[in-house]
Amino acid sequence: MQLTLFNLSWEQRRKLTGLLFVMPTVAFVTIFFIIPLLMTIFMSFHDWPLFGERAFAGLENYQELSKDRQYLKSLDFTFRYTALVTPPIFILGFILASLVRHNIRYIGIFRTIFFLPVVIGLGVSSLLWVWMLDDRIGVFNKILLDLNLVPKAQLFLGRPNTAMNVIILSVVWKTVGFTMILLLAGLQAIPDELYESAEVDGAGYFRKLIYITLPLMRRFIALALILSVIGSVLSFDQFYIMTRGGPRNSTISIVFWIFNNSFTYFKMGYGAAMSIVLLGILVALTGLQLYVLRERE
Amino acid sequence: MISRKTLLLAVVFVLVLGSLPLAAQDDQINMTMWVRSIPFQTQAMVDEWNANNDSQIELTVIPSGEFVTKMGAAIAAGEPPDIASIDLIYTPAFAAAGQLVDITDYVKALPYAETLTPAHMELGMYEGRNYAVPTGVDGSFIVYNIDLFEQAGLDPDNPPSTWDEMLEAMRAIDALGDDIYGYWFSMNCAGCNAFTFLPFIWASGGDVLSNDYSEATITSDPIVRDALAFYNTIWEEGLVPEGASIDNGSNFVSAFGAGNIGMSGTGNFAIAGYTNDFPDLNFGVFHIPGQEGGAASFGGGDVIAIASGSEHVEEAWRFIEWTMSDEAQIEIYAANGQIPVRLELVDNPYFEGDERQLTAASALAVGHTPYTTVYNDLFNDPNGPWLEMLQVAILDGDIDGALELGQERFTQIMGG
């Protein structure tokens, strides 16, 4: 059968047009996601050095994972970090969004200020914090010393407990603006009439928050939460730059450990296996969040 | 008025003319060279070479801690430099992976092949073939501040020769004032402590690896525990500044230069720096002692190799051979306080009468370098077991935990 544009029915043409429109996206996703993903899966079944000969290894890389003390430590650290960093980002993001919600004069200045740290790179912001936290030239120690709050300069990044806390502080500063914007969009999508009628019925701030604001923002909260959790689980830059995984290897996130194995120890196959396991964990985690935050009919 | 066509022609003409010299340069050999950020006299060498030769070398300095990662990535991407100045301890790993050019025949033809520093030649070999020759040799030793020794009533002509004597000297110097400390170590720098702490163990007859480098002996060799306890005492008694615990090596050399530190482990690369940057610093050097005496040194430094895939092997070797010539070794190396890579050239006019240089050079005689393809993973990696073991034992005081952890992670890495 000869297939030309002219003897196609209207319905067929419509489908063809649709196909052409999605082709660029399909090509993009195939080249930059599907193929690398398949390659990673393929690599994870091999002993694959960064250079030199590679050999089929079956499930060896996956079996190795259960014996890798640092891998388990990194998983534990990453999820502890995610659990600690997510609530402050959310609560602060929500408070900031509520503050800049209404379109009043000059409000743009505040929205810009709160959003500004998001625009600079995480690598740059991490370096900035390293200097601000320095024991000799850092501004934090200067303030604490001048106010007599500490007897001597603190090595914030040199102690396991304070290192985690100051990194969380820096990440909240860096990312809260993004959560704010997402939640702001959700807040502004709620019609004022709902609040007005609730006020007529005598609802206070918290009743409005629980019965109007939060339910109607469910989709935006889900989006912000999923993006924030994925970002935290995949975090790397802040630990690589601010602590190099120290002190005592207490801040090696899971992506950091994958990077080390793949590019410092040259064990690409092992790194690939870890990535696949991490992908599985993330898919499960995201599914769970979507289920909890689903729209109930 | 000039027509559009004339203008176009003129532009084409200029472009063609402009590209002519570029086309002519295609015959010229341009080579790339990488060196880590403790460049011995590499920049001076390359400048001298470029000034006197048709072939040109473009030198790139890579941060030391990143060298293996960057080199590995460049090789994997098929874009390695022609020439690489590599920390000697990494040579077995690169040679084993087939990433370096076999230069055995070139080396055999050298009249002075026998006098090239043995540790570097040994590390440059893999399965009986040569892959690299020395380009920067450096043994570790201890520098001490003569003025502080005198102030503390110590005899600067008889520096400590056991761990106890070192501790006593540190305590005496530390007592001189709040801002004066007995010792310095960079306890967040893995490589610095392989270089300056391992020799304490070796000088006492111990080691963290078995003789054939096949297994870890951290828990089985009691000297390792004693050495960790020695450093732990230094930390516990506050004989080092608190900042030493988080120093990633950026103050490895400069801390001692400030003049308020009694002693510090270091290497030859630092001597020229102290002499030039801290002219008032009155210092001497002594060998790293064992528990009850003896001496040891980490035979460190760089070797130079040609990367597989280089299109200019012949010319690259010509450069490498020149860097080992009398002219380069004496007029560039020795003249700048750098130990020559050929032992017979240590006796040179520039080193005559300089006790410090001669002591430093003699450290090479007691120099030792571990031969293992996983050196980086074991010792130099900032997240590796070596540094973690040191920090847990020395800073946290948990020596038993540290030994166990070190043994377990060493064994895991060495097992593949």
Side-chain angles (χ1 to χ4, degrees):
Chain A
M1 194 186 97
Q2 199 192 4
L3 197 73
T4 67
L5 277 177
F6 299 102
N7 59 17
L8 290 176
S9 71
W10 167 248
E11 187 57 24
Q12 282 169 320
R13 279 194 200 193
R14 210 181 67 91
K15 280 185 178 160
L16 184 69
T17 315
L19 193 66
L20 286 174
F21 270 118
V22 298
M23 271 323 278
T25 309
V26 170
F28 192 85
V29 170
T30 309
I31 294 171
F32 292 106
F33 180 68
I34 309 269
I35 294 177
L37 179 65
L38 293 176
M39 274 178 67
T40 309
I41 294 173
F42 180 72
M43 283 170 84
S44 73
F45 294 112
H46 288 76
D47 176 12
W48 194 304
L50 188 58
F51 43 78
E53 298 293 310
R54 54 179 182 252
F56 185 73
L59 288 171
E60 242 170 63
N61 286 328
Y62 291 93
Q63 285 159 352
E64 181 104 349
L65 282 178
S66 58
K67 287 181 283 174
D68 186 343
R69 184 147 122 173
Q70 184 59 49
Y71 178 70
L72 302 174
K73 215 171 126 187
S74 293
L75 270 181
D76 171 63
F77 169 75
T78 308
F79 287 109
R80 226 158 12 98
Y81 165 76
T82 306
L84 286 174
V85 81
T86 309
I89 290 180
F90 247 80
I91 294 168
L92 207 59
F94 188 79
I95 292 172
L96 290 180
S98 307
L99 286 176
V100 299
R101 177 181 172 192
H102 297 289
N103 287 319
I104 51 175
R105 195 192 267 259
Y106 301 130
I107 197 71
I109 295 173
F110 291 97
R111 286 179 188 159
T112 309
I113 291 173
F114 298 150
F115 193 71
L116 217 49
V118 179
V119 185
I120 63 173
L122 187 51
V124 176
S125 105
S126 298
L127 269 180
L128 179 74
W129 278 81
V130 167
W131 288 320
M132 294 202 300
L133 293 165
D134 190 274
D135 57 316
R136 284 161 302 174
I137 55 165
V139 65
F140 285 109
N141 270 310
K142 172 82 179 142
I143 294 170
L144 291 174
L145 284 171
D146 284 357
L147 293 176
N148 279 325
L149 291 174
V150 291
K152 58 179 177 171
Q154 302 290 304
L155 306 169
F156 293 111
L157 293 169
R159 308 268 171 276
N161 49 346
T162 53
M164 174 85 128
N165 293 340
V166 292
I167 288 179
I168 287 176
L169 186 67
S170 80
V171 171
V172 169
W173 173 82
K174 166 78 181 72
T175 54
V176 73
F178 185 64
T179 304
M180 176 195 83
I181 289 288
L182 289 175
L183 297 180
L184 183 62
L187 280 175
Q188 291 185 334
I190 302 173
D192 283 339
E193 292 81 8
L194 289 177
Y195 290 112
E196 283 161 15
S197 54
E199 274 162 27
V200 171
D201 290 344
Y205 174 79
F206 285 103
R207 296 202 88 130
K208 284 190 282 179
L209 179 71
I210 290 164
Y211 293 106
I212 301 176
T213 315
L214 292 180
L216 285 172
M217 284 179 65
R218 197 187 290 275
R219 280 165 188 277
F220 294 92
I221 291 174
L223 176 66
L225 186 66
I226 287 168
L227 286 178
S228 171
V229 166
I230 290 178
S232 302
V233 173
L234 296 181
S235 58
F236 168 73
D237 314 40
Q238 57 268 51
F239 305 114
Y240 188 69
I241 294 170
M242 292 178 72
T243 58
R244 273 239 130 202
R248 324 286 187 281
N249 292 338
S250 65
T251 59
I252 299 182
S253 70
I254 190 68
V255 175
F256 195 151
W257 191 236
I258 292 174
F259 168 85
N260 262 1
N261 273 283
S262 305
F263 301 110
T264 305
Y265 316 144
F266 302 149
K267 297 195 295 193
M268 301 280 278
Y270 187 52
M274 283 196 265
S275 307
I276 297 298
V277 172
L278 183 61
L279 178 72
I281 293 173
L282 271 179
V283 168
L285 209 60
T286 307
L288 183 73
Q289 291 176 70
L290 284 173
Y291 177 77
V292 171
L293 290 165
R294 72 191 184 284
E295 296 281 350
R296 293 187 187 89
E297 295 303 324
Chain B
M1 200 181 122
I2 305 168
S3 77
R4 182 175 283 193
K5 202 170 167 185
T6 324
L7 196 70
L8 195 71
L9 266 175
V11 169
V12 169
F13 185 68
V14 167
L15 281 177
V16 168
L17 246 177
S19 66
L20 276 180
L22 278 176
Q25 272 179 356
D26 278 352
D27 292 342
Q28 194 198 326
I29 296 177
N30 289 307
M31 294 183 289
T32 50
M33 175 171 177
W34 283 11
V35 64
R36 63 175 169 138
S37 53
I38 305 177
F40 290 91
Q41 293 301 324
T42 320
Q43 187 68 56
M45 287 290 203
V46 168
D47 289 346
E48 183 75 12
W49 175 266
N50 285 346
N52 297 310
N53 286 273
D54 288 337
S55 64
Q56 296 291 299
I57 295 170
E58 190 194 332
L59 185 69
T60 306
V61 180
I62 311 281
S64 294
E66 310 281 321
F67 193 87
V68 172
T69 306
K70 290 246 192 302
M71 184 81 180
I75 288 170
E79 295 280 338
D82 293 289
I83 306 166
S85 173
I86 307 171
D87 189 335
L88 80 164
I89 48 180
Y90 299 141
T91 342
F94 283 112
Q99 299 306 323
L100 304 176
V101 173
D102 183 341
I103 52 170
T104 313
D105 295 338
Y106 290 127
V107 173
K108 272 190 187 142
L110 293 172
Y112 47 76
E114 296 299 308
T115 67
L116 290 167
T117 45
H120 294 68
M121 292 306 282
E122 188 193 319
L123 271 285
M125 290 192 86
Y126 183 72
E127 295 183 341
R129 308 290 293 176
N130 294 93
Y131 291 91
V133 288
T135 194
V137 302
D138 210 333
S140 50
F141 46 79
I142 291 172
V143 278
Y144 66 105
N145 188 312
I146 293 175
D147 293 340
L148 290 182
F149 261 64
E150 280 171 350
Q151 283 173 41
L154 302 161
D155 179 7
D157 295 330
N158 277 311
S161 58
T162 65
W163 296 355
D164 282 341
E165 286 177 27
M166 277 189 77
L167 275 175
E168 276 164 34
M170 285 177 213
R171 288 174 187 137
I173 292 165
D174 201 71
L176 291 174
D178 279 349
D179 282 340
I180 299 177
Y181 296 91
Y183 198 62
W184 174 268
F185 50 55
S186 297
M187 209 29 86
N188 199 23
C189 169
C192 307
N193 288 299
F195 192 56
T196 58
F197 180 69
L198 270 176
F200 282 113
I201 300 174
W202 294 338
S204 318
D207 205 342
V208 292
L209 300 172
S210 61
N211 280 337
D212 60 356
Y213 303 113
S214 64
E215 54 187 307
T217 55
I218 292 169
T219 41
S220 57
D221 191 331
I223 303 287
V224 181
R225 161 187 290 276
D226 292 348
L228 289 173
F230 167 52
Y231 255 44
N232 174 241
T233 307
I234 298 175
W235 170 253
E236 297 267 302
E237 293 187 15
L239 303 173
V240 287
E242 207 190 345
S245 65
I246 57 160
D247 183 53
N248 60 9
S250 43
N251 297 314
F252 182 46
V253 174
S254 62
F256 178 77
N260 62 337
I261 304 282
M263 289 172 272
S264 173
T266 192
N268 181 263
F269 65 93
I271 288 193
Y274 292 139
T275 318
N276 297 333
D277 301 342
F278 306 97
D280 298 334
L281 192 68
N282 184 12
F283 68 96
V285 309
F286 63 92
H287 290 314
I288 297 176
Q291 197 165 12
E292 306 293 341
S297 173
F298 191 108
D302 275 23
V303 292
I304 193 165
I306 306 170
S308 293
S310 167
E311 290 167 11
H312 309 295
V313 174
E314 198 83 12
E315 189 66 8
W317 176 255
R318 220 167 63 79
F319 168 72
I320 292 172
E321 191 175 1
W322 173 77
T323 64
M324 296 184 291
S325 65
D326 288 25
E327 175 203 353
Q329 287 297 316
I330 292 176
E331 294 309 322
I332 299 179
Y333 272 49
N336 287 297
Q338 172 71 48
I339 301 175
V341 300
R342 287 159 52 193
L343 293 174
E344 84 269 26
L345 296 181
V346 170
D347 290 319
N348 64 64
Y350 294 102
F351 281 18
E352 229 170 67
D354 190 337
E355 274 305 314
R356 296 184 302 218
Q357 285 293 8
L358 294 174
T359 308
S362 71
L364 292 170
V366 287
H368 175 64
T369 316
Y371 187 104
T372 161
T373 55
V374 287
Y375 184 91
N376 187 50
D377 303 7
L378 293 177
F379 292 101
N380 268 16
D381 173 22
N383 307 123
W386 171 247
L387 187 62
E388 188 174 3
M389 175 176 88
L390 294 188
Q391 292 180 336
V392 171
I394 295 160
L395 304 179
D396 298 347
D398 179 11
I399 298 180
D400 287 317
L403 290 168
E404 208 175 293
L405 177 133
Q407 180 73 25
E408 184 191 319
R409 286 193 66 195
F410 264 59
T411 305
Q412 193 189 6
I413 290 169
M414 295 171 81

